[in-house]
Amino acid sequence: MTQSTDSNAPQKTAIAPVILLHPDDNILVCVKQFHPGDEITIDGETLLSDIDIAVGHKIARINLRPGDKVYRYGAPIGSMTQAVAKGEHVHMHNMKSDYIPSHTRSRQHKDRSDA
Amino acid sequence: MSQAVSFSGWQRADGRKGIRNVIVVAYLVECAHHVTRKIVNHVNDMDVHLIGFPGCYPNQYAYDMMRAVCTHPNVGGALLVSLGCESMNREKLLSDILASGRPAELLVIQEEGGTKSTIELGIAAVKRLQSEAAAVARVPMQLNELIVGTICGGSDGTSGISANPAVGRCFDALVAADAICIFEETGELIGCETIMADRAVTPELGAEIEACVAKAEHYYRVMGFGSFAPGNADGGLTTLEEKSMGAYSKSGSSPISGLIKPGDIPPAGGLYLLDVVPDGEPRFGFPNISDNAEIIELIACGSHVILFTTGRGSVVGSAISPVIKICANPETYRRLAGDMDVNAGRILEGEATLDQVGEEILQNVIAVAAGKRSVSEELGHQEFILTYKAFEPIGPSCLPVRQIQ
């Protein structure tokens, strides 16, 4: 893991890799691909990422528990199914719709073979 | 932005004006598709478009859609190609198009001697239609005579942050100039119904909007899937309501003036919601089998231009009305720059503001209305799809603007 004091470290981009869309949100949206070892700053606290996150994906702004509503644009976009810690990836493995289940290529395939 | 913006359009007999002068060549059943395609391919003109309906069995929606698109202000003439035994009422369609003041011809393959002779007759017919359409007068046209539709396709987690709200800014400017703006679709607005209802110009319209989103939710529940593709999840979207909130931002912040269904032409300037989910018990499968099904419904409501936002990177265009592509994701833009008109991903990289990109989209709308080819149009994209659906007419609360007038 690169020390943040290392003078040979690549220049940090001027753009924050994550953005907060609404003050009430409990997730942040990644606007730049980041990798394990990259730093993310959340509400003034700097964390080290241990995962790959692609542009457009979400990370937890605070620790979240199962059943917690997830807020984006200040509006509820679903509920947590698993606990996640601040800075972790929030996606289909730990969150679900409060309306209609989402499908993926693999889930669709699994449904067919289950049938 | 001012209403002084003027360009030249084609004057149609019904009072509407077009920004293109397209000849449509339409198959009235799949059995006539090959012959029709051969005619269009032989003519090989960017303004001669292949459209059609594949079904043999009757469907009022399909008829109404064919009539709406063949009499669209961007259309200067129509050639209908029938096999001969399908149910589409070809004589009525022909007479409806002729009654709209456009040249139109009909070829019935079974009566014209088959494939080869129908292709030859069709090529000659298109040449006649082109010369008649070329004689239509061009007149000054203003922004308040323009109808602009919007759709998102291949959405990802960036769509709702960059391209969609930038289209919303453009819509706000167009509505302020008294243009008609149309957004859709209710299946991708599940979760936004109460916020949307609050923007309706009357409480009765608000109630209609909530009811139509509830209808969409029921319909998709029966289908077993929401309007959510695997690529949406790859791009970081997790739930339908998350996708909805992002899609919703295309509508901007103007009041919602009405709720329309495919083929309804909005009566006055303002923002309208298009309900694309069929009425009654689900019968014919998915309401929107792919983006072009919705694009052609926006066009059937009179849209001259379509604003298409994409995160994952759609490449489609459309028959009849040009499609302007606005890319939300800067990485997608770098991969597919040759398919995009506007790079809204610059917003995420700190190189442009939402207002700047909104203005750039507006300037693209004006340029394309004035005749500039959009990127997908230049590439020859003319996708068209029309399938079975069923709709009831809209209720009296859906267009309060019309009642006020």
Side-chain angles (χ1 to χ4, degrees):
Chain A
M1 198 158 295
T2 312
Q3 295 287 320
S4 55
T5 51
D6 185 348
S7 58
N8 293 322
Q11 281 293 104
K12 286 256 156 35
T13 168
I15 306 145
V18 291
I19 55 169
L20 176 66
L21 295 174
H22 189 279
D24 294 343
D25 288 357
N26 50 14
I27 54 94
L28 301 160
V29 179
C30 168
V31 293
K32 191 170 170 29
Q33 167 90 35
F34 58 95
H35 306 285
D38 286 353
E39 287 181 353
I40 330 161
T41 302
I42 301 178
D43 298 326
E45 185 189 342
T46 300
L47 304 173
L48 282 178
S49 162
D50 60 356
I51 42 174
D52 273 298
I53 304 263
V55 172
H57 285 246
K58 299 175 286 297
I59 61 168
R61 184 184 176 198
I62 54 171
N63 295 336
L64 294 169
R65 292 163 308 177
D68 283 353
K69 292 264 183 206
V70 179
Y71 286 87
R72 171 175 173 156
Y73 311 105
I77 59 161
S79 301
M80 297 304 295
T81 56
Q82 317 250 338
V84 298
K86 181 174 179 175
E88 286 183 352
H89 192 198
V90 174
H91 202 20
M92 308 185 92
H93 59 293
N94 51 26
M95 178 188 163
K96 66 170 184 62
S97 171
D98 293 329
Y99 285 81
I100 297 172
S102 302
H103 63 283
T104 62
R105 288 184 195 92
S106 57
R107 197 176 292 182
Q108 188 183 329
H109 206 68
K110 184 166 160 286
D111 286 350
R112 271 201 215 112
S113 53
D114 285 352
Chain B
M1 238 352 291
S2 77
Q3 275 182 269
V5 172
S6 182
F7 36 92
S8 84
W10 280 268
Q11 180 68 59
R12 307 301 178 193
D14 63 3
R16 293 191 284 169
K17 295 171 186 173
I19 63 161
R20 294 290 183 272
N21 201 25
V22 165
I23 304 298
V24 289
V25 186
Y27 57 92
L28 305 186
V29 62
E30 180 60 22
C31 319
H33 191 160
H34 173 73
V35 167
T36 312
R37 183 175 55 225
K38 282 284 195 184
I39 295 166
V40 172
N41 286 353
H42 186 276
V43 174
N44 190 26
D45 183 311
M46 193 179 275
D47 292 313
V48 176
H49 295 182
L50 174 68
I51 67 170
F53 176 64
C56 186
Y57 300 99
N59 184 249
Q60 189 62 44
Y61 159 83
Y63 182 85
D64 293 343
M65 286 288 293
M66 286 299 283
R67 182 182 52 200
V69 297
C70 288
T71 59
H72 186 281
N74 286 355
V75 171
L79 171 63
L80 307 179
V81 185
S82 159
L83 173 64
C85 45
E86 76 276 6
S87 352
M88 178 72 78
N89 190 340
R90 56 181 177 263
E91 298 294 346
K92 181 165 186 339
L93 185 58
L94 179 69
S95 71
D96 283 351
I97 301 167
L98 290 169
S100 78
R102 285 170 177 78
E105 298 194 27
L106 168 66
L107 291 172
V108 180
I109 297 170
Q110 289 168 350
E111 294 167 10
E112 305 295 356
T115 299
K116 278 192 176 170
S117 55
T118 310
I119 293 169
E120 280 167 26
L121 290 166
I123 292 163
V126 170
K127 299 244 185 283
R128 283 192 296 275
L129 294 167
Q130 283 177 308
S131 65
E132 282 192 65
V136 173
R138 296 198 73 174
V139 291
M141 185 171 171
Q142 274 86 40
L143 276 184
N144 63 3
E145 297 172 292
L146 200 62
I147 307 184
V148 182
T150 191
I151 177 172
C152 40
S155 295
D156 71 11
T158 67
S159 301
I161 310 173
S162 58
N164 292 351
V167 165
R169 303 292 164 100
C170 171
F171 261 28
D172 288 344
L174 285 167
V175 169
D178 207 27
I180 290 170
C181 291
I182 310 174
F183 73 112
E184 48 90 61
E185 53 125 324
T186 45
E188 291 178 6
L189 293 167
I190 290 169
C192 310
E193 57 276 7
T194 49
I195 310 170
M196 254 191 315
D198 287 344
R199 287 172 61 194
V201 291
T202 65
E204 293 77 18
L205 174 60
E208 291 278 2
I209 289 173
E210 288 200 61
C212 98
V213 176
K215 176 183 78 171
E217 192 189 350
H218 170 72
Y219 204 105
Y220 278 101
R221 234 177 247 291
V222 174
M223 294 293 117
F225 290 123
S227 178
F228 192 96
N232 297 144
D234 297 340
L237 292 174
T238 310
T239 65
L240 180 59
E241 56 267 42
E242 179 181 16
K243 182 178 172 184
S244 295
M245 284 305 303
Y248 175 64
S249 63
K250 297 197 301 302
S251 67
S253 56
S254 308
I256 299 174
S257 294
L259 174 64
I260 56 173
K261 292 181 182 177
D264 296 331
I265 314 291
L271 176 67
Y272 296 80
L273 171 62
L274 171 60
D275 176 9
V276 302
V277 176
D279 293 312
E281 280 310 299
R283 274 175 278 183
F284 302 117
F286 274 92
N288 55 335
I289 61 168
S290 55
D291 294 323
N292 281 96
E294 295 154 67
I295 289 176
I296 207 62
E297 289 175 323
L298 286 164
I299 292 171
C301 294
S303 297
H304 295 93
V305 183
I306 303 294
L307 300 178
F308 189 124
T309 64
T310 183
R312 301 296 289 171
S314 173
V315 302
V316 305
S318 179
I320 299 169
S321 294
V323 173
I324 296 173
K325 299 273 261 308
I326 301 125
C327 188
N329 184 323
E331 294 177 357
T332 303
Y333 183 82
R334 283 188 276 274
R335 280 196 298 274
L336 296 174
D339 281 284
M340 303 297 162
D341 296 271
V342 176
N343 175 14
R346 290 182 294 136
I347 295 165
L348 299 185
E349 300 194 320
E351 292 165 11
T353 64
L354 271 178
D355 284 337
Q356 286 167 340
V357 175
E359 176 65 22
E360 187 183 334
I361 297 167
L362 180 64
Q363 293 309 321
N364 265 271
V365 169
I366 294 166
V368 167
K372 189 186 94 168
R373 301 286 182 180
S374 74
V375 170
S376 54
E377 191 180 14
E378 187 68 45
L379 289 169
H381 282 283
Q382 292 168 9
E383 287 84 351
F384 183 95
I385 185 163
L386 179 59
T387 57
Y388 285 88
K389 280 192 180 186
F391 283 97
E392 299 298 327
I394 54 168
S397 309
C398 292
L399 283 177
V401 172
R402 181 169 275 165
Q403 292 169 357
I404 291 162
Q405 282 176 336

